[in-house]
Amino acid sequence: MSCSSQHCFRALGRVLFTTLLAVVPGVLEAAPPVRLTDNGTMKFVAAFAGDGSDVLFVELVKPTLFQIMRLKLDDRSVEPLHGNQTDHELDIAVSPDGRYYAFVQCHGTLHGAIEIRDVSQKSVGHVPAGPGFSVYRSLAFAPDNSRLLFTFPENVHRQIFSVSLKGDDRNQLTDTNGINNWPCFSPDGKQIVFASTRDGRYEIYKMQADGTGASRLTNSPTMDLRPQFSPSGLRISFTSNRDGNYEIYVMDSDGSNVRQVTSHPERDDYSVWHPGGKHLLMVSERNGYHDLYLVDAPP
Amino acid sequence: MAVIDLGSFRAQTCDGLPRRSFLRLAPSIPLALGLGSPLLAAQTMRAKSVVFVFMWGGPSHLDTFDPKPDAPMEYRGPLATIGTRTPGVAFSELVPMLAQRSNLFTLIRSHQEPAPGHPDAGTVALTGFEERPLPVKPNFGSIVAAHRGQHGQLPPFLSLTSGALADSLRIVEGYGAGTLPKANDPFLVGCSDRGEVDLPNLRLLEGLSPGLINDRRTLLNRLEADLRRFDTAGSASWNDTYDTAYRLLTKPEARQAFDVTRESPETRQRYGQTTFGQNALLARRLVEAEVPYIQLNYSRHPEAITTGYELGWDTHILNFELLQDQHCPIFDRAFSAFLDDIYERGLIDDTLIVAIGEFGRTPKINQRASRDHWPRCYFSMWAGAGIEPGRVIGASDRLGEDPISDPITPLMVGTTIAELAGIDSLTRIQMNVLEGGTIIDELL
């Protein structure tokens, strides 16, 4: 995450990513997903960094440790983002302009705080864990870096909150029954898409950035999870097990025109958009191995 | 004695015996108690091998195998239910593979146990009795081991784990032989998600790595050198228990049984590249090797998110997230593959499979949108050894708070296991184990 020139870094990222797609036959023609990692270890939340040249993701590196790893797409090398950590790192989010990232760092027993850092890994903000068992989850930056979203359970239900990048000025955005989780800002910062069980099951909803005006976008008898706005704001990717198995779907931002992106008897999950908007990164299980894959996004 | 972690030489005694004292005492125990001669063989043995799948931490029954779709939301939670191969029976949507295999096992939904916390409840789950009053009773596996004795090169009781079962405070006292001779303690074996063998009991040598274990010649040299070192130090009597375990690695039969990398890639993939998945595959290999009792632990520790601890089913926080992200996909795949494998290889009639945690979780969702311990009601799964599959025995009430049929206790679990392993009531009396236990009639 260190770079002397953000613009140079991002330009290089674009070149490298384009090169990656070009050298892998068929990627541009909506071919099978391209496997980006090969160790097969369980992986979870992922985010593009460096304008698409790097991928940060959470991996269960050993039975006792979740760790954030950095994949460099140019040479496919993978290394821990923070070196040899002994504490769990559960989530990762990168600001759209690549200047900041945030993650959940756990200490002791069932205690997870939010750490907000700049691209050089210098701390800019911190949200301490609450009293007792307390772990924040599901981080997301506002496009203008004014706010960071997260979720936290209070009084039985999980709600969506935001803080400044210093970690203060906490603001509660949802106040409903059930679980509200996986928030994501629209590219213009005016809306937030998220999943909620307020109506009984996990469905995708959209609300204004201040938490008002929530409307439901999906209606599935099973789980619809982890929505992500596309860079254009016109589409939303999400995970659903509506066909009996976790698959990636894309719909228009009003909930219409749902298209199934993956169809495999094993799990596809944790989709995120490449900054170019034409590809989705996901964690897929294939033959029991969990790896990062790139897949074409439907138009 | 807390745990025979001889491998790293960190053995400690709760009663103040120094480590060296134990090493001198250990060889005399089996002889004094006649362990070399198995007790009476029962006439009703159906299971050559028992696989006890321990879902350490206490999985939520409502979010897995006993969902309550008609309960209020603060009880039923956010998950949908899905149909199974058993008419009229639904599971949570988090276990779709096992839902498609409900015809391969019988589910019990009416378990109940007395201990509220992990170490205590762990002991109850493994022994049938609470830790206090002392003495701690023997693990079901130790009872089977004492009854069968050791035949061949493999120990009769293997616990698949990276170390002694414990939570963040202390070990589970019911891990081992209890009132039976220490020779009936479990021998600890584990393998990584890569299939690398790990033998926690044998971490005597600093740097004894899985790679070294796989290099027989190098290992032998290290063992010989180490034995000489201890002989020189005055521990010449150090042989039976320790030495048997220690030298196990050099026996081709044992080494072969432990080596999951001998399996085809397709077989290994079926189980998933996870620690539990590969240990489940190891369990199947040990069934083929006719090991009498295999305790397949989901994790070494129960905790959900604790620094330095393996992740178990103890989801006081992030219950729905951890079940969905990790535990249920891992378990669903690995246990399904294990059942398929045991059936396909024709091992099911001679194998008893029991999957169970130490308790369930609170039906009412807690303040942290998760679930806490719930000893009053939980589930188990049984397969093999002649048990008719595809049934549900017992039921919980509409909120999943209590059984509405007669509660089934851990002592009944252990007694039923013993019965199917050929340890009948007379033998149990002779062994002075499982006192007062009754079998689960509906299963048999």
Side-chain angles (χ1 to χ4, degrees):
Chain A
M1 293 295 292
S2 61
C3 180
S4 58
S5 166
Q6 195 59 226
H7 291 294
C8 289
F9 195 42
R10 292 165 61 184
L12 176 63
R14 279 192 291 270
V15 170
L16 293 174
F17 185 72
T18 303
T19 303
L20 171 69
L21 296 180
V23 300
V24 181
V27 171
L28 295 176
E29 288 78 36
V34 177
R35 186 176 180 177
L36 300 179
T37 58
D38 61 4
N39 69 347
T41 306
M42 289 195 84
K43 298 171 181 65
F44 306 91
V45 182
F48 278 102
D51 203 22
S53 63
D54 293 358
V55 175
L56 307 183
F57 62 97
V58 176
E59 180 176 85
L60 187 66
V61 296
K62 56 183 179 180
T64 55
L65 187 62
F66 290 105
Q67 198 168 30
I68 297 173
M69 310 297 287
R70 176 168 58 183
L71 163 68
K72 293 183 177 178
L73 289 173
D74 57 349
D75 61 3
R76 309 286 183 96
S77 63
V78 177
E79 60 184 10
L81 180 63
H82 300 129
N84 293 323
Q85 285 285 316
T86 56
D87 291 323
H88 291 296
E89 298 169 334
L90 289 186
D91 274 311
I92 181 70
V94 179
S95 65
D97 64 2
R99 293 174 60 195
Y100 303 101
Y101 71 101
F103 64 102
V104 175
Q105 186 164 48
C106 296
H107 299 285
T109 300
L110 309 180
H111 234 55
I114 297 173
E115 301 294 334
I116 307 165
R117 297 182 181 177
D118 67 17
V119 71
S120 66
Q121 301 194 7
K122 179 183 176 184
S123 178
V124 297
H126 171 77
V127 183
F133 298 157
S134 169
V135 178
Y136 303 109
R137 294 303 303 269
S138 300
L139 312 178
F141 283 90
D144 62 359
N145 294 329
S146 61
R147 309 293 292 175
L148 178 75
L149 301 175
F150 65 91
T151 69
F152 187 70
E154 283 189 342
N155 300 320
V156 180
H157 311 292
R158 178 174 287 273
Q159 309 294 355
I160 298 172
F161 300 84
S162 72
V163 288
S164 75
L165 261 54
K166 291 181 179 178
D168 58 7
D169 189 24
R170 175 170 152 158
N171 184 25
Q172 183 170 343
L173 299 178
T174 60
D175 186 15
T176 72
N177 288 341
I179 293 173
N180 298 281
N181 210 351
W182 307 293
C184 173
F185 272 107
S186 60
D188 63 7
K190 294 179 179 177
Q191 294 181 311
I192 295 170
V193 66
F194 60 104
S196 177
T197 65
R198 61 186 65 186
D199 293 324
R201 310 208 188 292
Y202 283 110
E203 303 288 356
I204 308 298
Y205 294 76
K206 193 165 63 173
M207 65 183 176
Q208 299 303 309
D210 63 1
T212 62
S215 62
R216 181 167 160 177
L217 301 181
T218 63
N219 185 7
S220 166
T222 54
M223 293 184 286
D224 292 336
L225 312 168
R226 288 186 255 281
Q228 292 274 310
F229 267 114
S230 68
S232 68
L234 300 176
R235 292 168 291 169
I236 295 168
S237 69
F238 62 101
T239 300
S240 178
N241 65 338
R242 58 183 65 186
D243 74 347
N245 174 38
Y246 293 92
E247 306 286 4
I248 304 298
Y249 294 78
V250 167
M251 62 184 173
D252 292 349
S253 59
D254 62 358
S256 65
N257 194 21
V258 176
R259 290 92 84 192
Q260 186 166 350
V261 178
T262 62
S263 179
H264 191 277
E266 295 178 273
R267 183 178 187 180
D268 297 292
D269 204 347
Y270 307 99
S271 67
V272 292
W273 292 85
H274 180 265
K278 294 182 178 178
H279 304 279
L280 286 163
L281 177 76
M282 61 186 181
V283 177
S284 295
E285 184 181 27
R286 295 291 182 266
N287 297 319
Y289 289 75
H290 298 80
D291 281 302
L292 297 175
Y293 287 80
L294 265 181
V295 63
D296 285 3
Chain B
M1 180 67 187
V3 56
I4 310 177
D5 194 2
L6 293 170
S8 60
F9 238 54
R10 285 181 282 110
Q12 297 291 326
T13 63
C14 289
D15 53 6
L17 281 175
R19 180 192 64 221
R20 190 66 69 190
S21 299
F22 171 74
L23 292 176
R24 281 197 292 268
L25 285 171
S28 65
I29 294 172
L31 297 176
L33 295 174
L35 261 190
S37 303
L39 297 172
L40 291 176
Q43 297 176 352
T44 57
M45 183 180 79
R46 297 190 201 170
K48 290 180 181 174
S49 295
V50 176
V51 180
F52 186 90
V53 184
F54 188 37
M55 301 171 77
W56 184 207
S60 165
H61 52 304
L62 270 75
D63 303 316
T64 54
F65 299 97
D66 194 7
K68 300 294 177 185
D70 298 325
M73 188 175 182
E74 64 268 29
Y75 286 82
R76 64 177 159 82
L79 302 171
T81 57
I82 55 175
T84 70
R85 295 282 292 273
T86 307
V89 175
F91 293 167
S92 152
E93 61 186 322
L94 297 185
V95 286
M97 298 177 76
L98 286 167
Q100 286 301 307
R101 290 164 176 77
S102 67
N103 58 320
L104 302 184
F105 58 88
T106 281
L107 178 67
I108 295 178
R109 285 173 164 168
S110 53
H111 282 285
Q112 195 169 78
E113 64 89 26
H118 290 295
D120 303 324
T123 291
V124 175
L126 300 178
T127 70
F129 295 91
E130 295 185 72
E131 291 182 341
R132 299 293 180 273
L134 293 173
V136 174
K137 301 297 193 295
N139 186 307
F140 306 143
S142 296
I143 295 170
V144 173
H147 177 254
R148 298 277 181 89
Q150 179 162 344
H151 299 283
Q153 303 294 350
L154 290 165
F157 177 16
L158 287 163
S159 183
L160 309 190
T161 171
S162 64
L165 296 191
D167 72 355
S168 57
L169 300 175
R170 64 178 175 85
I171 72 155
V172 178
E173 293 186 17
Y175 75 94
T179 53
L180 294 171
K182 297 300 290 181
N184 298 298
D185 270 346
F187 184 76
L188 308 186
V189 183
C191 67
S192 71
D193 58 356
R194 303 278 174 181
E196 298 166 316
V197 178
D198 181 28
L199 298 157
N201 282 25
L202 297 174
R203 291 186 194 134
L204 178 65
L205 306 171
E206 288 297 326
L208 181 61
S209 65
L212 181 58
I213 290 170
N214 290 332
D215 181 352
R216 185 167 181 265
R217 181 181 297 275
T218 304
L219 177 66
L220 276 171
N221 291 337
R222 294 286 295 270
L223 298 183
E224 291 301 330
D226 209 56
L227 284 169
R228 283 196 298 274
R229 181 159 61 89
F230 280 102
D231 285 346
T232 303
S235 297
S237 60
W238 171 60
N239 46 33
D240 284 354
T241 305
Y242 197 6
D243 191 30
T244 298
Y246 202 55
R247 291 186 175 279
L248 190 63
L249 287 174
T250 67
K251 305 295 184 184
E253 178 186 337
R255 292 169 59 81
Q256 183 168 332
F258 293 155
D259 189 359
V260 300
T261 63
R262 291 171 178 265
E263 298 286 337
S264 70
E266 292 76 20
T267 299
R268 293 188 63 196
Q269 289 165 2
R270 287 173 70 184
Y271 285 80
Q273 191 188 319
T274 60
T275 302
F276 178 69
Q278 294 303 299
N279 275 293
L281 176 56
L282 174 58
R284 196 227 70 213
R285 291 183 65 82
L286 296 173
V287 168
E288 289 182 311
E290 300 187 357
V291 171
Y293 197 94
I294 303 140
Q295 184 176 307
L296 169 59
N297 303 291
Y298 180 78
S299 57
R300 180 184 176 189
H301 306 111
E303 279 85 359
I305 299 287
T306 298
T307 299
Y309 290 81
E310 293 183 12
L311 284 87
W313 294 87
D314 191 22
T315 49
H316 291 286
I317 58 171
L318 305 174
N319 174 73
F320 302 107
E321 293 82 0
L322 289 171
L323 292 186
Q324 176 200 80
D325 284 350
Q326 185 164 346
H327 296 318
C328 286
I330 290 173
F331 185 81
D332 193 38
R333 182 176 188 125
F335 194 56
S336 294
F338 179 73
L339 288 171
D340 290 348
D341 220 357
I342 291 289
Y343 272 92
E344 289 167 6
R345 290 169 187 262
L347 299 168
I348 193 66
D349 290 340
D350 295 331
T351 306
L352 172 64
I353 301 164
V354 184
I356 192 170
E358 70 270 40
F359 39 57
R361 304 204 78 82
T362 45
K364 188 171 184 178
I365 295 171
N366 67 18
Q367 290 292 302
R368 299 174 297 277
S370 291
R371 301 189 192 271
D372 299 316
H373 303 173
W374 193 257
R376 283 164 46 185
C377 192
Y378 58 110
F379 70 93
S380 68
M381 290 174 281
W382 297 68
I387 295 173
E388 182 187 346
R391 295 178 295 152
V392 175
I393 293 174
S396 58
D397 60 23
R398 69 181 186 89
L399 299 178
E401 291 182 323
D402 293 287
I404 56 175
S405 51
D406 289 340
I408 293 175
T409 66
L411 181 56
M412 295 169 72
V413 171
T415 304
T416 305
I417 290 172
E419 185 78 16
L420 289 171
I423 308 171
D424 62 16
S425 57
L426 177 60
T427 308
R428 296 195 292 272
I429 292 171
Q430 291 173 320
M431 295 177 71
N432 195 27
V433 296
L434 299 168
E435 301 91 335
T438 58
I439 63 173
I440 305 169
D441 289 326
E442 300 93 321
L443 268 180
L444 308 183

